[in-house]
Amino acid sequence: QAQLLESGGGSVQAGGSLRLSCAYPERHSSYCMAWFRQIPGKEREGVAGIDNDNTKDYLDSVKGRFIITKDNAKNTLYLQMNSLKPEDTAMYYCATDPFLCPSAPIGTWYLISDRFKNFWGQGTQVTVSS
């Protein structure tokens, strides 16, 4: 069941920027939080994660371009996406998990048993044209 609410997706040309937002319940403020994306026909993959101590992790292909932040005063998670590429086109989802973020590579977080199973947003589409 979706308890998170994303916004900010849209269409942009390559090289452009978008900022995604995700509103979460106050009780999730200490949770591991992450952004995932999915292209039709492909497995969902973790893109950026942030832990309770603000430790951040990024998929290699977005390092230096995407920035994940959170504002617990506003109960909002953000993903600033810069220098967007056509291959960034996907449905983007935010998710939270009540434990410390996994130590595994973030690209595999969705595949970890019993992690990120309960709290998801409905998704927001990002389309990058060349």
Side-chain angles (χ1 to χ4, degrees):
Q1 61 201 29
Q3 299 188 24
L4 312 176
L5 183 63
E6 301 108 338
S7 61
S11 296
V12 65
Q13 288 193 324
S17 298
L18 285 172
R19 188 177 79 158
L20 306 183
S21 299
C22 171
Y24 55 83
E26 183 176 357
R27 68 183 184 277
H28 289 209
S29 61
S30 63
Y31 288 12
C32 174
M33 301 183 186
W35 289 96
F36 294 77
R37 66 186 180 188
Q38 187 168 23
I39 301 169
K42 292 195 173 182
E43 191 69 71
R44 193 170 295 189
E45 66 177 356
V47 174
I50 184 167
D51 219 333
N52 185 35
D53 63 357
N54 275 330
T55 300
K56 302 175 184 181
D57 197 5
Y58 295 96
L59 189 68
D60 283 347
S61 61
V62 308
K63 282 181 180 176
R65 301 189 297 121
F66 290 11
I67 303 170
I68 186 171
T69 57
K70 65 176 182 176
D71 185 339
N72 283 340
K74 297 181 178 180
N75 297 322
T76 304
L77 176 72
Y78 301 99
L79 184 68
Q80 178 66 43
M81 303 186 295
N82 301 319
S83 301
L84 282 161
K85 303 176 180 180
E87 51 263 43
D88 295 318
T89 295
M91 184 72 79
Y92 283 73
Y93 300 87
C94 63
T96 64
D97 191 81
F99 303 103
L100 293 176
C101 288
S103 58
I106 190 169
T108 68
W109 284 9
Y110 186 70
L111 304 175
I112 300 174
S113 176
D114 296 326
R115 301 300 304 269
F116 297 101
K117 295 300 184 236
N118 295 319
F119 308 113
W120 287 86
Q122 80 288 353
T124 186
Q125 179 68 37
V126 171
T127 302
V128 184
S129 58
S130 57

